[in-house]
Structures are given as structure tokens and as C-alpha cells.
Amino acid sequence: MRFIIKPALIASFGLLAACGGSEEEEAEKIDYASFDDKAVQQLVDDGEYQKALEVIKAQDELEISDKTDFLTAADIYLNLLDGVAAEVAIEDAREAGASDGEILLKLSRALLLQQKFKKADEILNDTSFEGEEKFQALLLRGDIAQQKQDIQGARYFYRLAIEEKPEDFRGYLGMALLSLNQGQLTEANAFADEAASRVEDDPIVQYVKGAVARYERRTEDAEKHLLKAVDLHSGNMLAYFELIGMYIETGQLEKAQEQLDSVYALVPNNPMAQYFNALILAVEGKTQEAEYMLLRTGDFTRTFPPAARTYGHIAFELGKYSTAQPYLERFLSQAPADRSTRLKLAECLTRRGQSARALLYLEPLIGEGSEDIEGLLQAAAANGAQGNIVETRTYIERANEIAKAAEDMDQNLIAQLGQRLALTRFISGDEVGAIAELQALYSNAEGDAESLTLLANMQMENGDLSGAVATAKRILEVEPDSAVGNNLLGAVAYRHREIDAAMTFYNKALEQNPDYQSALKNRGLANLTANKFEAAKKDFEAVLSKGAEDAQVHAMLGRAYLELGNGKDAATHLKQAEAIIPESAIISTDLAEALTLSGLRSSGITQAQKAKRLAKADENLMQYIDDLIVKWQKEELQAQKDAEAEREKRREELAKKREEMEKARRALIEDGSLKDKETPPPEGADEPKNEGDPDEGEAEGDAEDGTPGLRS
């Protein structure tokens, strides 16, 4: 898939530069005061933007900077496409005495970079420009219109600029960039030629020529123009990125990495560079490393469509379908012709229970006369998820006919289509016909292990366990080191409730393939059945560590935690399982138990009532849930009674304590140790102080024995 990188640089900007900031270089001991305006400008001309900004900042701190310094800083930030910093520098220049004539065009560009189109337009509409400034204002208005997706407006202003200065290349360049952004490659190339005839070796013109050649698949011409663009201006990031993208597409990963290293040398944290780095990793099959690299780009994956596509594809390959879906949708809305993204999005939706939406996305690929086998198979899967077995088989039959008619079709694909046809027959209730179809497939394929695997599973589902054993042994004859064969034998042993024998087969399968998730899941289930909950937990966690969103595994892991008495972790996994399979009565019931075990009995009762509604077809489960609800309601009522009894006990204890305190006080009054506070002393008489009384000004406090208001 090729996606045109829309240039952030537009016609009114003078240089191509990095799209992001670079890390600050280690400070050097420099006599900043010795740099005059000419020396600073030389740094800019040499592409030493950060050093020039460092000098300007230092001179500002020394209070020796003037408007020229701030205007130079503004130009640098504009070239770096940093509109916010440019606007700040422009305001500093205004305070230092710069006139409107010196700053208004720059300010309009800074506002454009911040997408403040209305403010930028207001400045240009309210200001009268002449000569060169009028020409630049027209280019800028074309740029604003282009960014607002007002294509007619952009063409109008660029053509006015050409009429204003037909000898200047920049008006033609604006038209070339506009055409390139619209995917009109012939027109873009023609305008780039017009621009090239009016300027000698301009890096932006070379970039456009190279980009057009790339998208027209003229790889040699593209490489020549893009390398020249980089040679003419070392900060020409878009040329670098076109080169990198082209090298990746043509499998020249070493060359791509070489250009990427050049970008990193200029701007170490550039998000576009990180995106291409991730793309190289993805092409090399290093999907987890690619995902990590893309996560480092932050919002870039949301704002740059190709990055969204790459991240969506990577997340899909890692089995993170809920993560992949919004990125794939976002990219497909801008590039609806991208078949690969459309297919992956459809599969994400089907896997997440949104098969009706999946079919809507598949419509362009599965219409009458379509020969898109993968699209037809996705449609079959989506219909299968909805239980539409007739439609499922129809789509598979269409795909099968196309495959058989093709001379160079992969025989493995034809075998897989036969397996799917047999599976639809099995699901529709024709178990005998399905098994016969698979047995014929096996005979034709001379040892098709996949067909045998499906056959063994069908035999197990049909209750023919001895037939499943025979089929599994045939798999081992075809592939003696097959983990699949041993896993199937383990599954048959488990059906016979021969748990130890099943564990032996599962262990053997995992010795042959330690990452075999089906065997891990099956061994975990066997451990769960054998009440070996810690071992079961480890197996299920090993499956989830691979990043797949498996509701069944989350549910079984939740059950293991439940059996281990860990309600909190059980609830965490059961909630994830319920989110994927919200209609499962068993998962809902287990979640109710987990919530109750966590101390959330009221929430557990509510969840159990939901589970009961889902379990209408299972009388035994409904009775079990009813028993749980009755039990928990009794416990809840008893807990409330216990709490009230505890409160009453505390009230009685407090009343008793107060009674004892009153008795003690009365006793002290009777023996004269304490005067009755209710009997006032004679008027004007001083109250004698007892040794046990508090000092004057000291409030009565609690005694050491905890009796309020008394001291010994």
C-alpha cells in the first residue's frame, strides 16, 4: 500500500526542515556576546538552527538582543514548523520595536502552523501588501486554503501568485505541492517542471519530482531526485522520508536504515523517523518491537494516517483486535481502496462480535463477480459468527470455485477451503457428510495434517472418540514430531476423564512446541479439573502473556483464581471475559461469585440476577444461581442483623459505662472528695482547690483508664 506523505511544508515557507524538535546539545563555553547579526545568520544558512537559537537565547538573557535576533528566531521556528515558538518570537520582536510590516506575514505563517486559519486570514485580509510581500501573501493564502481542504481556493490564490510574479518558481511549486497532495501526479510533475525551469537546483522542487516518480513506480528516477534534494539541503526531512518509504517498499532495508540513521543524527526524537523505524521492524517480523517503537511516537499514530495503518496492522498481528480496530477504521476512512486494511478490520470486527459491521466493510470485496478469495472467506466467517450457515457455505463455495479454476493456485489453500466446506456441513448437522468430505480430502492430499486435525475434532464432537484416536495417530504417522497429534490424543483422554493420561500427552505436545497455545489451554483445563489450581493458573497466564484476547482463557483463569480464594483477581479476568462474551451465563455466574468473594455481596447478587436471565435454557444452572442468590441474600440479611446487634451492644456498653461513671461521681460527692457541680457555691466565695482537681485554665480531660472527665 502506498500512501502519499502530505508535505507539512507549503509554498509560502522557504525551507524544508525537521517536523519535530531535537535534543539539546551539551552546552559549550561560548562567548555569545561576540556573535553579531551576520554571524547568527551564517549559522542559519549553514543549517545550524539549534546553535543559532542557543546564541539568540543567551543574548536575550544578557539583554543585548534586538528585534533582528527575534525575527531570525521566528524564521528558524517557522522553518522547523513550530508555530507556537514562532509566534512567541514574533511577539518578542514586536516588543523590541519591529513594525507591522516586518512581522505580519511571519505571524500569519505561525498561525497557519497552529491551524488558526481564521486569525491568519484576518491579518492577510486587513493588510495591504505590495511587491514581494504581496506575492508572499498570495502564496500564504493559497497555503491556508489548502490546509482548510479548500482546493479551489488554493488553486485560485496560487494562480494569482503566478500572475503576480510569473518569473518566480514558488507559485508553480505551490501548485505542484497541491497536486501532489491530491494524488494528481501528472499535474504535479508538470508544475514541478515549470518551477525547475525558473530556479536552479531547488531542494523542494527535487523533492516533488522524486515523490511523483516514486508513486509512479519509477524507482531509479525517484532515488535520483530525492538524493539530490537531500544533498541540496541536509534538513530536507520529507525527501529523507520518501527515500526511506521507497526503500522499505522495494525491500532495500539496509538502505532504508542508512537514511533513517541520517534523520536520527539531525533530529533524534522525530516521530516520523520512529514510525519508519517501526515499519522496518514490522517488515522484519519483529512485531512487538515495532509496537513499542510506535507507542513512543505518542499522538503521531493518531494524526499521521500511515502511522495509524502500521500500528493497526501490528496490533492485529499481535492479536490485539480491540486496539487495532480504531486505527484501521481511521486509516480506511482516508484510504478506502486499501484492501489489506479492509480485510484486517473486518476480521477484527468479526472476532469482537460485530460481524454485521464486518459485512458492511466487506461489501466492496464480495459483490457479484468478485474473485477476492480472502474477502469471500472473511464474509463466510462473519456469516458463520451470526449463525448463517447457508450464507457461510455459499461464500466458501464461491471461493473454492475460484481457487480450483486458477492454474497457479496454492494447493494448500484449496485444501483449507475443502476443510471449511466440511466444517459448515458439520455445523449444519450433517456430521456424517462432513466427516466423509474430510476423509476424501485427506486421501487426495496424501497426508494433509490440517484436514486430519479438523477430522479428529469433528469425530470428538460427534462422540466418535476411538475414530479421533485413530485420526490423531495418523497425524503422528505423517508428522512424527507433531505437537498437534499429541494434543489431540490428550483431548481424547480428557474426554474419557483420564486426566493423568491427558496431562502426559499435553506435556509431550508442549515439549515439542512450548508456545503451542491450544496445548497450554488444554493442560490448564485438565489442571483445573484435577483441582491443581496453581498449575492451571500458570498455564492460562502463559497463554495470555502472548497478547491474545481469549475470552475462554480469561474465564478459566478467573475460575482458577476463584478456587484459590482470590476474588479480586478472579473478578478482573472474568470481567474481561464478559466484555468479549457478554451473553455467557457461566461467565456471568462466576463473576457473581468473584464479586461476592471480594466482599461486594450486593454487587454479586445483582450480577447473579443478570446471570439467571442469561441461563434460561439451563434449568440446572438457573437452580444453582437461585441457590446462590438465596444464600447471599440470607448472608446479607444476617450481616445487617449482626451489624445492628453490634451497634446495640456498643450502645449498651456505653450506657453501662455512663452508669458506672455516675456511681463513681456520686460516691466522691458523698465522701466529700468532690463537690456536686449542681450545687452552686455561696455568692462571692472562692471555690477551694482539691489536689485532684485540674489546674486553673486546664480543661478536664480523659483519665488514664479511659473514663471521660475524671482524674485520679
Side-chain angles (χ1 to χ4, degrees):
M1 168 64 196
R2 289 174 169 77
F3 192 94
I4 293 177
I5 300 174
K6 293 188 176 182
L9 174 78
I10 32 194
S12 59
F13 290 77
L15 291 173
L16 266 170
C19 298
S22 63
E23 296 177 342
E24 292 185 4
E25 297 177 359
E26 186 178 350
E28 301 175 7
K29 293 181 179 179
I30 300 172
D31 181 10
Y32 295 109
S34 66
F35 282 79
D36 57 15
D37 293 342
K38 186 177 179 181
V40 173
Q41 187 58 49
Q42 188 59 53
L43 289 173
V44 176
D45 294 341
D46 293 340
E48 297 284 346
Y49 299 136
Q50 298 302 327
K51 184 62 67 65
L53 289 171
E54 184 183 317
V55 172
I56 293 169
K57 181 180 178 182
Q59 290 188 347
D60 186 29
E61 291 172 353
L62 293 170
E63 298 184 353
I64 60 173
S65 55
D66 57 19
K67 68 174 185 179
T68 303
D69 294 315
F70 295 125
L71 290 171
T72 301
D75 286 335
I76 293 172
Y77 287 125
L78 289 172
N79 286 331
L80 291 173
L81 308 180
D82 187 340
V84 175
E87 186 177 3
V88 171
I90 290 164
E91 291 305 322
D92 288 339
R94 189 198 296 272
E95 290 182 10
S99 66
D100 283 351
E102 292 175 296
I103 66 171
L104 288 182
L105 279 174
K106 298 182 194 297
L107 181 57
S108 297
R109 292 191 184 103
L111 293 170
L112 166 59
L113 288 173
Q114 298 174 66
Q115 296 190 330
K116 297 178 180 179
F117 305 129
K118 185 176 180 182
K119 286 186 177 181
D121 267 330
E122 286 174 356
I123 291 173
L124 296 172
N125 288 333
D126 296 343
T127 308
S128 178
F129 298 102
E130 296 296 333
E132 172 64 20
E133 288 187 347
K134 180 180 179 182
F135 174 70
Q136 290 188 35
L138 290 169
L139 290 176
L140 188 51
R141 296 191 71 174
D143 293 343
I144 293 170
Q146 183 178 173
Q147 293 298 297
K148 289 163 63 178
Q149 299 300 311
D150 178 7
I151 306 306
Q152 287 187 334
R155 289 183 184 278
Y156 172 75
F157 285 114
Y158 289 144
R159 290 195 181 280
L160 283 181
I162 291 172
E163 290 175 9
E164 181 70 20
K165 292 186 72 173
E167 75 284 359
D168 196 298
F169 78 98
R170 286 172 290 175
Y172 299 98
L173 181 57
M175 291 293 289
L177 289 167
L178 177 65
S179 300
L180 179 61
N181 286 348
Q182 296 302 305
Q184 297 169 347
L185 302 182
T186 302
E187 188 176 291
N189 197 49
F191 279 116
D193 285 339
E194 289 286 349
S197 69
R198 288 163 173 78
V199 66
E200 184 177 353
D201 291 338
D202 180 78
I204 312 174
V205 174
Q206 291 298 322
Y207 156 73
V208 175
K209 296 283 290 180
V212 169
R214 175 194 170 192
Y215 297 121
E216 289 182 343
R217 300 177 184 268
R218 293 184 286 109
T219 305
E220 290 184 9
D221 285 344
E223 186 176 32
K224 179 185 70 175
H225 287 296
L226 293 170
L227 287 174
K228 188 170 184 180
V230 169
D231 184 57
L232 288 169
H233 182 60
S234 61
N236 195 332
M237 291 297 141
L238 290 176
Y240 276 122
F241 295 143
E242 290 290 351
L243 275 169
I244 294 166
M246 182 182 70
Y247 287 143
I248 292 173
E249 285 176 1
T250 56
Q252 301 178 76
L253 298 187
E254 288 186 9
K255 282 189 174 183
Q257 190 63 57
E258 182 182 336
Q259 297 299 329
L260 194 57
D261 291 341
S262 298
V263 173
Y264 278 134
L266 292 167
V267 276
N269 293 322
N270 183 275
M272 183 76 83
Q274 291 172 335
Y275 154 68
F276 277 116
N277 200 343
L279 191 55
I280 291 173
L281 290 168
V283 171
E284 292 176 337
K286 301 173 182 177
T287 49
Q288 288 186 319
E289 294 95 325
E291 180 189 34
Y292 172 72
M293 179 62 69
L294 279 173
L295 288 173
R296 288 177 56 190
T297 68
D299 288 342
F300 189 69
T301 53
R302 287 184 285 277
T303 58
F304 182 57
R309 179 186 192 272
T310 300
Y311 188 49
H313 281 236
I314 288 170
F316 175 87
E317 295 299 335
L318 291 171
K320 298 181 179 181
Y321 305 113
S322 60
T323 301
Q325 180 182 326
Y327 289 94
L328 297 173
E329 286 178 327
R330 187 177 304 123
F331 181 77
L332 197 64
S333 68
Q334 298 199 23
D338 185 355
R339 173 181 170 276
S340 177
T341 296
R342 187 174 292 277
L343 288 168
K344 285 179 171 58
L345 175 57
E347 185 168 345
C348 283
L349 291 167
T350 299
R351 286 178 178 272
R352 301 194 67 225
Q354 301 177 45
S355 51
R357 285 189 66 207
L359 286 168
L360 288 176
Y361 276 108
L362 287 168
E363 281 181 358
L365 305 179
I366 60 174
E368 188 177 350
S370 168
E371 294 191 356
D372 192 319
I373 291 178
E374 197 171 350
L376 294 169
L377 291 179
Q378 286 286 353
N383 275 289
Q386 292 180 315
N388 302 328
I389 303 304
V390 174
E391 290 87 345
T392 301
R393 188 171 177 88
T394 298
Y395 280 113
I396 296 174
E397 285 174 343
R398 282 177 61 186
N400 198 29
E401 288 171 6
I402 295 165
K404 287 182 176 179
E407 295 180 359
D408 57 348
M409 186 57 65
D410 184 357
Q411 292 303 307
N412 287 330
L413 175 61
I414 294 175
Q416 289 170 11
L417 290 169
Q419 294 162 17
R420 295 189 187 198
L421 283 168
L423 185 58
T424 58
R425 179 169 287 183
F426 184 85
I427 294 171
S428 65
D430 183 7
E431 293 93 347
V432 175
I435 290 171
E437 199 167 295
L438 277 175
Q439 287 172 330
L441 251 179
Y442 169 73
S443 301
N444 294 334
E446 298 180 357
D448 177 7
E450 287 187 11
S451 295
L452 286 172
T453 302
L454 183 57
L455 175 59
N457 279 301
M458 284 186 181
Q459 289 168 324
M460 276 193 289
E461 290 297 320
N462 204 31
D464 182 10
L465 298 185
S466 59
V469 169
T471 303
K473 288 179 178 178
R474 286 163 68 188
I475 292 173
L476 290 171
E477 289 173 7
V478 175
E479 298 178 3
D481 295 328
S482 170
V484 175
N486 283 302
N487 185 43
L488 285 167
L489 290 172
V492 173
Y494 179 83
R495 293 286 182 101
H496 282 302
R497 285 299 182 263
E498 297 170 356
I499 305 301
D500 290 339
M503 293 290 289
T504 299
F505 285 119
Y506 294 145
N507 288 333
K508 192 168 183 181
L510 288 166
E511 286 173 11
Q512 292 161 329
N513 182 0
D515 294 326
Y516 189 16
Q517 293 200 12
S518 178
L520 277 170
K521 285 167 63 174
N522 286 340
R523 189 175 70 178
L525 179 59
N527 279 317
L528 201 60
T529 304
N531 297 330
K532 298 177 181 178
F533 304 120
E534 279 291 347
K537 180 170 75 76
K538 288 179 181 177
D539 281 336
F540 297 140
E541 285 175 341
V543 175
L544 293 177
S545 70
K546 305 300 180 184
E549 294 178 354
D550 193 319
Q552 186 183 39
V553 175
H554 277 298
M556 291 190 292
L557 179 54
R559 169 48 66 177
Y561 273 120
L562 202 54
E563 297 291 353
L564 290 167
N566 185 341
K568 184 177 179 181
D569 286 334
T572 297
H573 287 284
L574 288 163
K575 284 178 182 177
Q576 292 183 66
E578 187 186 48
I580 301 171
I581 312 177
E583 302 302 316
S584 170
I586 292 176
I587 292 173
S588 193
T589 304
D590 282 354
L591 178 55
E593 293 189 63
L595 291 169
T596 303
L597 183 60
S598 302
L600 304 173
R601 191 183 292 108
S602 178
S603 297
I605 292 171
T606 301
Q607 180 69 31
Q609 290 166 340
K610 174 185 174 183
K612 184 180 175 182
R613 290 194 296 271
L614 295 172
K616 290 180 181 178
D618 189 335
E619 291 184 7
N620 291 332
L621 182 56
M622 284 185 69
Q623 185 59 54
Y624 176 75
I625 296 169
D626 273 335
D627 293 343
L628 286 179
I629 292 173
V630 170
K631 174 174 175 281
W632 292 340
Q633 286 176 335
K634 285 181 179 178
E635 290 174 352
E636 185 76 359
L637 183 61
Q638 187 60 49
Q640 292 173 0
K641 289 180 178 179
D642 291 345
E644 181 56 36
E646 183 64 26
R647 286 192 292 271
E648 182 60 30
K649 180 181 176 183
R650 289 176 187 168
R651 285 194 290 268
E652 290 174 356
E653 289 175 349
L654 183 59
K656 185 177 180 182
K657 197 166 191 177
R658 285 175 177 164
E659 186 179 344
E660 291 173 353
M661 288 166 54
E662 181 61 20
K663 286 181 180 179
R665 191 177 74 84
R666 290 294 176 190
L668 289 171
I669 291 172
E670 288 174 4
D671 67 11
S673 299
L674 181 69
K675 282 201 169 193
D676 189 346
K677 290 183 180 180
E678 295 177 1
T679 306
E683 188 174 348
D686 290 334
E687 186 173 344
K689 230 182 186 185
N690 292 321
E691 289 183 6
D693 289 342
D695 291 337
E696 186 176 352
E698 180 183 348
E700 285 188 326
D702 292 346
E704 291 181 9
D705 65 355
T707 306
L710 291 180
R711 292 177 185 270
S712 59

